Amino acid sequence: MSPSTKSEAFLEVDGHEVRISNPGKIVFPEPGLTKLDLANYYIAVADGALRGAGGRPMVLKRFVKGVTQEPFFQKRVPDGHPPYIDTATLHYASGTSAEEAVLRDAAGLAWVSNLGCLDLNPHAVRAEDLDHPDELRVDLDPMPGVDWSQIVDVAFVAREVLGDHGLISWPKTSGSRGLHLLIRIAPQWEFADVRLAAETLAREVENRAPGLATARWWKEERGESVFVDFNQNAKDRTVASAYSIRPLPDARVSTPLDWDEVRARRPEEFTVPTVLRRFAERGDPHAQIDDSVGSLEGLLALAERLGPAEKPPKAADGAGRRVSQMPLIEIARTKTKPEALAALEQWKGEHPDAAALLHPADALVDGMRGSSSLWYRVRINLQHVPEADRPAQGALVADYDPWAGRE
């Protein structure tokens, strides 16, 4: 590193000079990690991080106001990006398109880190073929009240189903509460086929582990189970890739594991400092992932045998609106998650008798994607409250409008 002024520093990375603005700015107060620390982290783990995100177009998820504030999502690569940042133009299902960043080396990782990108969010395609994914992604997303052992049990069932259909899975912590399984596939199928294969996997996991796992898309219908999130394989979706730093106070990392570690280790063990030591000592457990390319033919054949998945009911007026089978009320819409949680607690305080009967999974706090950032919707599933005692839908505790001021 060569110093310049107090407000910037320059890193020499693989023959490129990468500018780091405000290098001493504290990003994670709890472990005391600065912007410069995070850039150096990504350089140190570049071999593994690029195995997950390299060569793929990626959405820039920028925490420019710090980890306690909501990020904004930037699809288009910034103007004036350095020459070592490649690009690829993606066409979205909405009809829009965006020229997105494609990282090829450690300098690119340091550059996006300087932009405030804590985690890396690549698409499941390579820049050379934007229409055919080469990765199937399984996101094991636990509902509230689900502990780690249940997530692990579901992961091993998913591994078994994948193995029965000729696919090798590679586990990593999500960096939050769940697990991801990554499966390399030949780039021969379109997104719709990959999503169908993922949905079929989810249905079969639910069949083999009823009560532990669910393939139900609607959150209020899942109960205290692990949702096998197949929709992460839709065309426009991205997930935090291997070695991504997550916006949690302890600077947790989405960390690749060996299967024999999955049951013994816990997500909170893997933070920027511990992963730096782990990577230096043992390298990347997923180093051979690109040697295990498989075929979707087995899962797609299973999809034919299972038949179409159950579709949600429509409104009686034929307008296409979904009608939930659960007694749901909406209590808040907020700009940030802390505001959403505060609104939930306020509602509970106003309805203590009903709140006392709720199960953990009955409080539904959903991050909703806006035009460039998240907003939050809070709902209550009153299924465990006797019908006569259920609070009615009332005015929202908080009523944030994410579209205010937009045409």
Side-chain angles (χ1 to χ4, degrees), residues 148 173 175 244 250-257 261 265-275 278:
W148 181 250
T173 65
S244 286
D250 57 0
R252 200 169 298 184
V253 171
S254 178
T255 306
L257 304 174
E261 296 181 288
R265 308 300 295 268
R266 295 294 184 273
E268 60 270 21
E269 297 179 49
F270 302 106
T271 63
V272 167
T274 63
V275 170
R278 171 183 168 92

Side-chain angles (χ1 to χ4, degrees), residues 15-96:
H16 303 294
E17 186 177 71
V18 183
R19 175 180 175 270
I20 306 297
S21 62
N22 301 314
K25 178 182 177 181
I26 299 293
V27 180
F28 289 97
E30 186 176 296
L33 296 172
T34 66
K35 279 189 70 177
L36 184 59
D37 292 329
L38 302 188
N40 281 323
Y41 160 82
Y42 272 119
I43 293 169
V45 301
D47 177 62
L50 290 170
R51 188 168 289 113
R56 303 178 183 277
M58 62 182 291
V59 174
L60 303 179
K61 182 181 175 185
R62 300 180 63 180
F63 290 84
V64 295
K65 296 182 180 180
V67 296
T68 61
Q69 302 297 313
E70 293 298 319
F72 73 90
F73 296 87
Q74 182 174 343
K75 292 180 180 178
R76 291 172 176 80
V77 65
D79 293 335
H81 57 82
Y84 52 80
I85 299 296
D86 282 349
T87 65
T89 300
L90 271 73
H91 296 273
Y92 287 89
S94 63
T96 61

